[in-house]
Amino acid sequence: MKKILLTGSALALLLAASSCSKDTLDETPRSILVPSFLGTPEGIQAGLAGVYSGLRNATADQGGSIFISQGTDEFMRGFAATEGFEDYNAGQLNGTNGNIANTWSSYYRSINTANGVIQYASQAQGVSPAVVAQAEAEAKVLRAWYYFRLVRSFGDVPLTLSFVDQPTKDYTRAPIADVYNAIVADLNDALTKIANTAAQPGRVTRATALHMLAQVHLTRATSTAKQADDYAKAAQFAEELIRDASTKYGKGLEADPADVFREGNENGKEILMNVQFNTDPTFTGISDNGAGGAGQNQTNYLFRGRYDLLPNVERSIVYGRPFGRLTSTPYLLESYILPSETTPRQWRTTDTRYSKWFTTLWLVNNTTFINGGRNFNPNRVVGDTAAWYAGRELTAAERARIAARPNGPFVVGTPSTYTTNFSPFINKFDDTTRPAANTSSDRPLILMRLSETYLIAAEANMYLGNMTKARDFINVVRRRAAAPGRAAQMEITASQLNIDFILDERTRELAGEQLRWYDLVRTGKLVERVKKYVPALINSKPSPIPGVTDNYGSNAAANIQPYHVLRPIPRQEIDRTGGKITQNPGYPQ
């Protein structure tokens, strides 16, 4: 499989395309996509593969991921600053932000390619109507996906539904109502044509379209484009998918949360949409320099703290590259504590998602790798505990027992000593099979899964007043997460349901999965929750390593403003259209 190299501006021509084999989406560099080529059997598959290829840049490299993950109640600034998303830095989060410009451009390139497939596929000679219909349906689902991200990120955006093969500056921002109507129309049309199951891993299906329709209606319901039946439609599509998941689509919840993100299971039964990567560096853009723009999957190290500064823990393939762009907030780490867990030793023992999806333990892997802890443990042994982030404060007796161990003490991290470099982090995207410690991942990146469908069904039914149904959908997800014998403790009652509880449950289930910023915006909770849950920046705080201080927190709560519910429009798009595309309120014009 070959990687497509895409260049050009936001609404410019696609400068490369691809072809498809019967087993995989092959992507081979090709000349400019033109109508005469798109209307051929090869051109249909080439264009479609190009739209899929764009997903890699849009989601998996540093820019695509932090665009949505930073600046929420789940994550605060990491030890390496980025482009202002993490703390709403006005000097960076504006129309000149390079990440935002690249995101906008890459989305519209993929939309233009999808337009070409939809517009010209029916002209191909010798292609069966079924093949044409499937290609058009996949392209419409993907076009809807790109536009859904655009309209949630920027509000009114240019809406182009036909192929552009000549440079033009004649674009303006369409009202969000028009964009949502186009998204819904694409997805509804796809439902009548698209296959129930994927011909190859990574292809979208009817299940993908149903899930997206539920997402779209749930989101539009709180926008200025809301329709009276949006919540009913969100519930309808989510419940249809849940009802037919196994019999029609071969989908279902994994029995164990650990299996959802188990390496090798990225195309598992719970997954409704993912982005494909593999070990071919020309396809995946694998490198060891951390640079974005090549379609790399960098999610395996974006969340990772500086474990390599712990005594006797050397950077390794298994532990990953400590890239440090996203640090877990106290709210995220504490969200797994049940009200019934009344003593610290009980915390997080009922809901297993914390123990399975967060890394809290490191082992000695190099007895000579001191890292400033020269006298910390002279009895260190490879394979023994090097550090443990306990998630609670330890008693003096517990600390004394650790200090008196035959193999020597280990570093203990507690909430009072968690810092930017040293705190638990999500391991959902770990990749332990990479060729080197600093290389990006070749794992497919999960974008949609069935457990979220249950949470969408619950939220929509709550708004409709169907509290018993809403409770039941949430309890399915919560029971799955329960420790053995504790399913009853995980169940909730209908009286506990409100939007804050649902947002908390979405954090527990979906943290780090490129949903949170959109969730907080659509529920009107972004500013409130960032101010409530993101601690202020502390420049010097005791760390788990004795005598070592570190910073912690973020300036997000101090800087966030109501207008931050939209991203700034790239300045280059305003200039290229002579001001026909305008800037969002609050940002420098």
Side-chain angles (χ1 to χ4, degrees), residues 493-534:
T493 64
S495 63
Q496 291 176 262
L497 280 177
N498 56 44
I499 189 55
D500 284 308
F501 183 91
I502 285 179
L503 283 172
D504 292 345
E505 191 61 32
R506 288 182 66 87
T507 276
R508 288 184 280 266
E509 181 67 20
L510 304 166
E513 297 179 46
Q514 300 193 17
L515 293 164
R516 192 59 173 185
W517 189 74
Y518 291 143
D519 283 344
L520 296 184
V521 169
R522 71 173 174 79
T523 57
K525 293 283 188 175
L526 177 67
V527 175
E528 172 192 329
R529 281 188 160 239
V530 167
K531 286 183 174 293
K532 182 177 181 179
Y533 291 124
V534 180

Side-chain angles (χ1 to χ4, degrees), residues 357-377:
W357 291 345
F358 284 79
T359 296
T360 60
L361 180 70
W362 289 265
L363 304 180
V364 173
N365 61 10
N366 189 328
T367 57
T368 64
F369 200 74
I370 304 301
N371 280 350
R374 183 170 301 279
N375 299 316
F376 185 79
N377 180 12

Side-chain angles (χ1 to χ4, degrees), residues 137 140-142 144-145 148 183-184 186-197 204-219 230-251 272-273 448-450 452-454 456-457 460:
K140 285 189 174 183
V141 170
L142 294 171
W145 185 90
F148 189 35
I183 292 168
V184 171
D186 271 352
L187 293 171
N188 277 320
D189 185 68
L191 285 183
T192 66
K193 302 173 182 176
I194 199 167
N196 290 341
T197 57
V204 293
T205 66
R206 195 172 191 277
T208 314
L210 283 171
H211 182 85
M212 282 189 63
L213 276 164
Q215 281 184 322
V216 169
H217 283 289
L218 187 69
T219 303
D230 273 331
Y231 286 129
K233 290 287 189 182
Q236 171 195 326
F237 290 118
E239 290 179 35
E240 179 183 342
L241 175 54
I242 292 167
R243 182 194 68 217
D244 298 334
S246 176
T247 58
K248 198 169 184 177
Y249 307 112
K251 297 298 179 182
L272 303 175
M273 181 179 179
M448 297 179 193
R449 53 192 183 92
L450 190 62
E452 191 201 0
T453 316
Y454 280 86
I456 291 172

Side-chain angles (χ1 to χ4, degrees), residues 307 310-314 319 360-367 369 376-388 401-411:
Y307 73 86
L310 296 167
N312 306 123
V313 185
E314 186 178 18
Y319 287 155
T360 60
L361 180 70
W362 289 265
L363 304 180
V364 173
N365 61 10
N366 189 328
T367 57
F369 200 74
F376 185 79
N377 180 12
N379 299 324
R380 53 197 174 269
V381 176
V382 170
D384 193 21
T385 301
W388 172 49
R401 285 196 296 271
I402 292 171
R405 293 171 72 249
N407 287 340
F410 52 79
V411 171

Side-chain angles (χ1 to χ4, degrees), residues 318-401:
V318 171
Y319 287 155
R321 181 177 186 176
F323 212 53
R325 297 303 189 261
L326 297 144
T327 300
S328 302
T329 61
Y331 160 75
L332 173 57
L333 301 178
E334 293 167 6
S335 67
Y336 299 91
I337 302 172
L338 271 64
S340 60
E341 296 175 333
T342 55
T343 64
R345 288 186 67 87
Q346 295 175 326
W347 289 355
R348 307 179 189 88
T349 59
T350 306
D351 189 333
T352 65
R353 289 173 290 193
Y354 178 80
S355 63
K356 292 173 179 177
W357 291 345
F358 284 79
T359 296
T360 60
L361 180 70
W362 289 265
L363 304 180
V364 173
N365 61 10
N366 189 328
T367 57
T368 64
F369 200 74
I370 304 301
N371 280 350
R374 183 170 301 279
N375 299 316
F376 185 79
N377 180 12
N379 299 324
R380 53 197 174 269
V381 176
V382 170
D384 193 21
T385 301
W388 172 49
Y389 294 166
R392 60 182 174 84
E393 300 304 319
L394 268 60
T395 65
E398 288 175 315
R399 289 186 175 276
R401 285 196 296 271

